[in-house]
Each structure stands twice: as structure tokens, then as C-alpha cells.
Amino acid sequence: MAIKSTEWIWHNGKLVPWQSATVHVLSHALHYGSSVFEGLRAYSTPTGPQIFRLQAHTRRLLDSAKIHRIEIPWAAPEIDAACKEVVVRNGLKSAYIRPLAFRGYGEVGVVPKAGHPVELAIAAWEWGAYLGPEALEKGVDVCVSSWQRVAPNTIPALAKAGGNYLSSTLVGFEARDRGFAEGIALSADGTVSEGAGENLFLVRDGVLITPPAAASILQGITRDSVMILARDLGIEVREQTLPREMMYIADEIFLTGTAAEITPVRSVDRLVVGSGSRGPVTRALQEAFFGLFSGKTADRWGWLEPLDNQPTGKRVAS
Ligand code: PPE
């Protein structure tokens, strides 16, 4: 997907013109994948643009950095304020926001010495539906990938680190080569993990089930939001390891992510899911989720952050 460039990118503490937000080719992250990043969305709402779950994303950025011992020289309130600033200064009504922290140019070598520079960049641009404009309504066809997720004790899946996405890229390439919109990866033990860039939920007999944190998933913030919204709607939610074939006999399946939002799945490995169209639970959750931005769903969790550009320090439990 081509990036719709904007005017400014926040880079190491200041706004620089889009074209000037560059790095040295000997930056550590380019060689060893030592970056951590986030993806957030700002939605246009009746009370102006609002960022969805800003504090939760900043917290996960800092958690990812901690796991990889990347010392980001900015604290959460500063990162929150910078995310707002890039949206405001680029005049965006809605946006995808991409904070990226990485080991920069210092010495070459796998293990960086203390004090190796860490850079932080935050860009924002307009980004539409991740899996295509029709996907949110009609659903997508997915396959199980021959590539499995990283096993525990190899690369930590809970960190949203650049290096992890070599796995996602292979899963995504294979799926598209085979004519599918997205690939689902199994974890090292063969149970369902997640999509290349999305968490997975299935519905069976009205119960919503999703793989647990230990299934080599990224703990998605959309996943967390969907579980909270579902419980609020009186839907039973379980985090449970799932054998692959549970997808074949599910009544409904959908994928969640900041980019993918809530995207129904209409087939897995060419087996039709349920009735083959968006199911009632998926639809109810989409309505609750998108209702947060239209004003139909009351934001009782403090998930929407206005762009007043003031760091609030508020941290909402997830
Ligand atoms: N799993 C993976 C592997 C993943 O990359 C994402 C987000 C999720 C789950 C869902 O997490 P959350 O956004 O917090 O609900 N993927 C991001 C990157 C997409 C991209 O292609 O780049 C995203 O959705 O922003």
C-alpha cells in the first residue's frame, strides 16, 4: 500500500519535513531488526479527531523496548504528546500513527554497548481498510500458512519488534501467492496463533474464543478492546488454545488489529466459515467498535483521547 505522505514527521524530539526523516545505513536496527514500533489510529468523531487507546499503545511500545533492552530516551507522556502533535500539525482528521524506536548509528556488532544511540520517530498518514475496502463487510479468504510463529524461547512474540515481522512477511507472501487475502500462522505446537498482522477470534455456539498470550501472539489492543466490548454485550469470552480444525467448524471467524480493525473471515483453506457471510456476533462487535467513533457507543473506558496536545498521564487499565 502506497503511503499518503504528510508534511511532518516527529524525529528525535522535533518535527522535520517528511523527506528529511532519514537514518544512516549503518543503523543497528537495519542490520539486526532492533526496532520496536506501534500502530495506532486516530478516528474522526463528532467531537473532533480522537486517538484510540493512546496510553495502551505507548505502554506496549515501552514494554517492547524493555523486553529488548532498548532504552527510549522519552517517557510515556512525551510520546503521547508527540503522537498527538504529528496528527495536529499534519492537519489530519483521521490517521494511522506509527511510532518507531530503534537502535541507531553507533558501532557495528550484534550486541550494542551501553549508550548506543536510540532514535524515536513518529509519523502519521491516512490509511484506509487494511485488507481492502470490501473486507469489513464481505470478509476475506484466508489460509493456514506453512510458516509457523516464533516458538517461545526464540524471539519474544509479545514484543512488537521489527525483527518479528520477517515471520509475518513470509506468512503474508505465501498467502497472497496462493490467492488468499491473509495467512494464519500456527504456533510451534500446532495450535492456532494469529494472522500475519492480526489477532484471530472465532465464534462457536455463541461463545467468543481467542488464543491466549502464550500462543505466540502479539497481545493486540484491538483484541483487548473486542473482549471488553463482547463481555459488555453479554457475550461469553474465552482465551483458549485452539486446534487448527476449530477454524473449519467455527460459526464465525474474524481478525482484529489496528490496521485491520474487525475483519470477518469467510473461508479458511477454502472451507466456508459458517454461512459464508458476516455473522451476527461479528456484526454486533463491529457495530459496538465503530460506534465508539460515531458516538453510538459510549466510551465508558476512556479509550478516546482528544488532540488537545496536553499529556494527560492518564493510564487506562487494559
Ligand atoms: N498481531 C500482529 C502480528 C500484529 O502485527 C498486529 C498489529 C496485531 C496482532 C493486532 O494488534 P493491535 O493493532 O494492537 O490490535 N499489526 C499492525 C501492523 C500492520 C502493518 O502491516 O504494519 C497494525 O494493525 O497496526
Side-chain angles (χ1 to χ4, degrees), residues 124-146:
W125 64 92
E126 276 179 53
W127 201 4
Y130 187 54
L131 296 171
E134 288 182 356
L136 291 174
E137 203 189 313
K138 298 222 163 81
V140 290
D141 300 307
V142 306
C143 63
V144 173
S145 179
S146 66

Side-chain angles (χ1 to χ4, degrees), residues 169-188:
T169 306
L170 290 172
V171 171
F173 264 137
E174 187 189 50
R176 283 158 187 81
D177 282 352
R178 292 170 54 196
F180 295 95
E182 188 58 295
I184 308 301
L186 305 179
S187 53

Side-chain angles (χ1 to χ4, degrees), residues 37 39 57 60 96 98 127 130 149 160 165 168 194-199 218-223 256-260:
F37 68 100
H57 280 280
R60 190 173 64 184
Y96 184 81
R98 170 56 58 85
W127 201 4
Y130 187 54
R149 269 280 168 248
K160 193 171 170 66
Y165 283 82
S168 292
E194 62 178 349
E198 313 86 4
N199 292 115
L218 179 73
Q219 278 193 301
I221 290 161
T222 321
R223 172 183 178 273
T256 65
T258 300

